[in-house]
Amino acid sequence: MPQAEGKEKTHIRGSVKKKSLPDAETFSKGILSGDIVLLSRAITLVESTLHSHQELAEAILEKCLPHSGKSIRVGITGIPGVGKSTFIEAFGNHLIDQGRKVAVLTIDPTSQLSRGSILGDKTRMETLSRRKEVFIRPSPSGDSLGGVARKTRETIFLCESAGFDTILVETVGVGQSETAVNSMVDVFLLLLIAGAGDELQGIKRGIMEMADMIAITKADGENIGRANRAKAETISAVHFLPAHESGIHTDVRTCSALTGEGISEIWTEIANFIKTIREKGYLEKKRKEQAKHWLHESVQSILLDDFFSKMGTDFHKAEELVTQGLAGSYQTARKLVQRYKNEDKNLSK
Amino acid sequence: MPQAEGKEKTHIRGSVKKKSLPDAETFSKGILSGDIVLLSRAITLVESTLHSHQELAEAILEKCLPHSGKSIRVGITGIPGVGKSTFIEAFGNHLIDQGRKVAVLTIDPTSQLSRGSILGDKTRMETLSRRKEVFIRPSPSGDSLGGVARKTRETIFLCESAGFDTILVETVGVGQSETAVNSMVDVFLLLLIAGAGDELQGIKRGIMEMADMIAITKADGENIGRANRAKAETISAVHFLPAHESGIHTDVRTCSALTGEGISEIWTEIANFIKTIREKGYLEKKRKEQAKHWLHESVQSILLDDFFSKMGTDFHKAEELVTQGLAGSYQTARKLVQRYKNEDKNLSK
């Protein structure tokens, strides 16, 4: 599978003719029958910036979409050092032992800077990556977090169509990426580490508010006492946050990837959470809102991308005038948009 | 002045011919000579949704813009009950006593719901509104916070052109509006009230981070002890926030609008802050970034408004398909944008 990926990438950079691609029908049939190589290649198409690849990817997605949506989508976040990889390794192995098929995807806003993370991911989740019931896919590269996130969301649909019933979306770093992940998962798990009493300081309040569940990691050996204190503090901090729409309170617990303590309980809790929000209709509502959100988001990004690709030079000149106080922001924007719309007419004549 | 405003509003709703408007030249000359009636009428034009009014407003702004920018712009926020009006009254009176000319503007995302706030503002700042060196203007109504904020920003430029050297922008409520205000002021003052030890709970961390200065209000009578404790707690909370780019630490102090205690010190602190960031070049940098931000923001809102005004029906149909999982968000967005661009060509044929 990594081999196929490698070939695909060379292929994208090289000539399109070198290896002819299967058509959308072949792709989607293969994916629906659980063909991992075709799944992997389809994801590469989703990630590709080549126009012909994008068109094929769209056609594949269109065929797969009606078969997607049947998994539990779990977002997992936490600051670097919290032990996300070790947690996901222990958690993923537990899920597979329960008979589940697991896909692990990452959203990493910095991934453009640190290529070659495929090997990185394989290494850091060594026992998990060796199991055949798992599919690990690193963060796609992209110009913007929005682009990366959109591709990850489409990858979720493809993985679901290939029969994966549990999708773990890991976010790297704290900050913007959490909002993106929250707009594509069903349940959001925040990992915290016991520190010197100020463990909440590094976490933005907004992320705490997003979390459906919080787990204090590394609750083993000498660290157990500290982890329990962190748990107590977190419970009281969570107390002040607005309650989840469904009325469910944010669950806070400790766990250890080393001893396995608390790992199975986290899954039980997630399964219960999903069961409750599904029965109450919140799961369907959340997914519908996510689809709407992405439609808006996509219209906006496509429109703005087109604007900037055509008006880039004009825009930068105008920006100069505006920052020098020689022109008003709104008035300048109006003129630019008008020029863009005329431009577009001229181009398509 | 309130009379002139009243007439203007009737006029906007009625026929345009009823009272002919002065031209941009007359407006801008009047404003630059400090004519408050013309200033007020120009602001009404900025706020108007009538196309002819908008064009006139743009022409006036264009003429005034080179004369703007010479004031100190202070954003003031705090939750309801913190005593914003009484603070601004005491603070504004102090500024006028110092020989300054003060304009008080408000950004109120809820103002659409509670019209008639002109009278409200005049009443709640009774002694201040009676002084001739002050100009109080309530929040413009608008469809969106962005629209309201944009109009407020343009009002700042007009007030500056009319010779006001201190602009106080008050935000009502906690939440979104703070970000908007922060994108148009030089210094941001957060008012807090001493409560039951959890005074920071109601305030989003992001707002704390935005604040350049924090004042605990109502530090008088029996409340002094509590205010001082709140000050100490706030200082330690602020300690964990990232430092201001300029290296200046968030100033925390107590004040009382009732006794006047601490009011003049807040002004001294603001003046020092401005002096420092001006000397270090941060003021110019901040204003340039704000102008850029508004240019981007305006391009985005103008483009999207145009899209939705033309594609509204199509968009809502597409949204239905997307939420039912029958079409992908990104693919649908691409088709919609393409149709929008073709539509625009057809319309302008």
Side-chain angles (χ1 to χ4, degrees), chain B residues 137-150:
Chain B
R137 183 84 186 192
S139 183
S141 58
D143 295 335
S144 67
L145 174 60
V148 171
R150 199 248 310 158

PDB file of all heavy atoms in Angstrom, chain B residues 137-150:
ATOM      1  N   ARG B 137     -22.927  58.925  19.318  1.00  0.00           N
ATOM      2  CA  ARG B 137     -23.649  58.345  18.196  1.00  0.00           C
ATOM      3  C   ARG B 137     -23.919  56.866  18.502  1.00  0.00           C
ATOM      4  O   ARG B 137     -22.988  56.090  18.720  1.00  0.00           O
ATOM      5  CB  ARG B 137     -22.796  58.459  16.933  1.00  0.00           C
ATOM      6  CG  ARG B 137     -23.447  57.950  15.681  1.00  0.00           C
ATOM      7  CD  ARG B 137     -24.341  58.997  15.042  1.00  0.00           C
ATOM      8  NE  ARG B 137     -25.052  58.422  13.913  1.00  0.00           N
ATOM      9  CZ  ARG B 137     -25.730  59.133  13.009  1.00  0.00           C
ATOM     10  NH1 ARG B 137     -25.808  60.442  13.126  1.00  0.00           N
ATOM     11  NH2 ARG B 137     -26.346  58.531  12.022  1.00  0.00           N
ATOM     12  N   PRO B 138     -25.182  56.476  18.490  1.00  0.00           N
ATOM     13  CA  PRO B 138     -25.491  55.076  18.792  1.00  0.00           C
ATOM     14  C   PRO B 138     -25.105  54.161  17.637  1.00  0.00           C
ATOM     15  O   PRO B 138     -24.769  54.627  16.551  1.00  0.00           O
ATOM     16  CB  PRO B 138     -26.990  55.086  18.993  1.00  0.00           C
ATOM     17  CG  PRO B 138     -27.461  56.217  18.158  1.00  0.00           C
ATOM     18  CD  PRO B 138     -26.375  57.252  18.159  1.00  0.00           C
ATOM     19  N   SER B 139     -25.194  52.890  17.907  1.00  0.00           N
ATOM     20  CA  SER B 139     -24.839  51.869  16.925  1.00  0.00           C
ATOM     21  C   SER B 139     -25.716  51.960  15.684  1.00  0.00           C
ATOM     22  O   SER B 139     -26.927  52.094  15.791  1.00  0.00           O
ATOM     23  CB  SER B 139     -25.023  50.499  17.581  1.00  0.00           C
ATOM     24  OG  SER B 139     -24.649  49.483  16.725  1.00  0.00           O
ATOM     25  N   PRO B 140     -25.109  51.903  14.500  1.00  0.00           N
ATOM     26  CA  PRO B 140     -25.934  51.850  13.302  1.00  0.00           C
ATOM     27  C   PRO B 140     -26.650  50.509  13.243  1.00  0.00           C
ATOM     28  O   PRO B 140     -26.137  49.509  13.754  1.00  0.00           O
ATOM     29  CB  PRO B 140     -24.917  51.945  12.166  1.00  0.00           C
ATOM     30  CG  PRO B 140     -23.657  51.413  12.744  1.00  0.00           C
ATOM     31  CD  PRO B 140     -23.677  51.779  14.198  1.00  0.00           C
ATOM     32  N   SER B 141     -27.813  50.483  12.622  1.00  0.00           N
ATOM     33  CA  SER B 141     -28.448  49.178  12.457  1.00  0.00           C
ATOM     34  C   SER B 141     -27.845  48.527  11.220  1.00  0.00           C
ATOM     35  O   SER B 141     -27.260  49.195  10.369  1.00  0.00           O
ATOM     36  CB  SER B 141     -29.951  49.353  12.297  1.00  0.00           C
ATOM     37  OG  SER B 141     -30.220  50.183  11.192  1.00  0.00           O
ATOM     38  N   GLY B 142     -27.951  47.254  11.127  1.00  0.00           N
ATOM     39  CA  GLY B 142     -27.366  46.554   9.984  1.00  0.00           C
ATOM     40  C   GLY B 142     -27.779  45.111  10.008  1.00  0.00           C
ATOM     41  O   GLY B 142     -28.265  44.608  11.014  1.00  0.00           O
ATOM     42  N   ASP B 143     -27.590  44.448   8.864  1.00  0.00           N
ATOM     43  CA  ASP B 143     -27.999  43.060   8.757  1.00  0.00           C
ATOM     44  C   ASP B 143     -27.048  42.135   9.503  1.00  0.00           C
ATOM     45  O   ASP B 143     -27.424  41.093   9.991  1.00  0.00           O
ATOM     46  CB  ASP B 143     -28.033  42.627   7.286  1.00  0.00           C
ATOM     47  CG  ASP B 143     -29.102  43.395   6.539  1.00  0.00           C
ATOM     48  OD1 ASP B 143     -30.050  43.840   7.196  1.00  0.00           O
ATOM     49  OD2 ASP B 143     -28.961  43.549   5.313  1.00  0.00           O
ATOM     50  N   SER B 144     -25.786  42.548   9.551  1.00  0.00           N
ATOM     51  CA  SER B 144     -24.792  41.659  10.138  1.00  0.00           C
ATOM     52  C   SER B 144     -23.855  42.480  11.005  1.00  0.00           C
ATOM     53  O   SER B 144     -23.730  43.689  10.842  1.00  0.00           O
ATOM     54  CB  SER B 144     -23.979  41.001   9.033  1.00  0.00           C
ATOM     55  OG  SER B 144     -23.204  41.980   8.364  1.00  0.00           O
ATOM     56  N   LEU B 145     -23.196  41.796  11.919  1.00  0.00           N
ATOM     57  CA  LEU B 145     -22.208  42.467  12.760  1.00  0.00           C
ATOM     58  C   LEU B 145     -21.124  43.098  11.888  1.00  0.00           C
ATOM     59  O   LEU B 145     -20.680  44.211  12.138  1.00  0.00           O
ATOM     60  CB  LEU B 145     -21.596  41.455  13.729  1.00  0.00           C
ATOM     61  CG  LEU B 145     -20.456  41.970  14.585  1.00  0.00           C
ATOM     62  CD1 LEU B 145     -20.896  43.129  15.450  1.00  0.00           C
ATOM     63  CD2 LEU B 145     -19.887  40.854  15.434  1.00  0.00           C
ATOM     64  N   GLY B 146     -20.733  42.375  10.836  1.00  0.00           N
ATOM     65  CA  GLY B 146     -19.700  42.892   9.947  1.00  0.00           C
ATOM     66  C   GLY B 146     -20.107  44.224   9.325  1.00  0.00           C
ATOM     67  O   GLY B 146     -19.313  45.150   9.243  1.00  0.00           O
ATOM     68  N   GLY B 147     -21.388  44.292   8.907  1.00  0.00           N
ATOM     69  CA  GLY B 147     -21.901  45.518   8.318  1.00  0.00           C
ATOM     70  C   GLY B 147     -21.911  46.659   9.325  1.00  0.00           C
ATOM     71  O   GLY B 147     -21.483  47.775   9.032  1.00  0.00           O
ATOM     72  N   VAL B 148     -22.405  46.361  10.518  1.00  0.00           N
ATOM     73  CA  VAL B 148     -22.448  47.358  11.595  1.00  0.00           C
ATOM     74  C   VAL B 148     -21.037  47.854  11.891  1.00  0.00           C
ATOM     75  O   VAL B 148     -20.786  49.055  12.001  1.00  0.00           O
ATOM     76  CB  VAL B 148     -23.081  46.746  12.874  1.00  0.00           C
ATOM     77  CG1 VAL B 148     -22.919  47.693  14.056  1.00  0.00           C
ATOM     78  CG2 VAL B 148     -24.547  46.429  12.649  1.00  0.00           C
ATOM     79  N   ALA B 149     -20.102  46.915  11.998  1.00  0.00           N
ATOM     80  CA  ALA B 149     -18.726  47.253  12.354  1.00  0.00           C
ATOM     81  C   ALA B 149     -18.084  48.112  11.262  1.00  0.00           C
ATOM     82  O   ALA B 149     -17.397  49.088  11.548  1.00  0.00           O
ATOM     83  CB  ALA B 149     -17.913  45.980  12.571  1.00  0.00           C
ATOM     84  N   ARG B 150     -18.334  47.759  10.000  1.00  0.00           N
ATOM     85  CA  ARG B 150     -17.755  48.507   8.901  1.00  0.00           C
ATOM     86  C   ARG B 150     -18.233  49.954   8.943  1.00  0.00           C
ATOM     87  O   ARG B 150     -17.455  50.901   8.783  1.00  0.00           O
ATOM     88  CB  ARG B 150     -18.189  47.847   7.584  1.00  0.00           C
ATOM     89  CG  ARG B 150     -17.331  48.200   6.403  1.00  0.00           C
ATOM     90  CD  ARG B 150     -18.009  49.054   5.356  1.00  0.00           C
ATOM     91  NE  ARG B 150     -19.306  48.551   4.926  1.00  0.00           N
ATOM     92  CZ  ARG B 150     -20.220  49.333   4.379  1.00  0.00           C
ATOM     93  NH1 ARG B 150     -20.002  50.624   4.234  1.00  0.00           N
ATOM     94  NH2 ARG B 150     -21.377  48.820   4.010  1.00  0.00           N
TER      95      ARG B 150
END
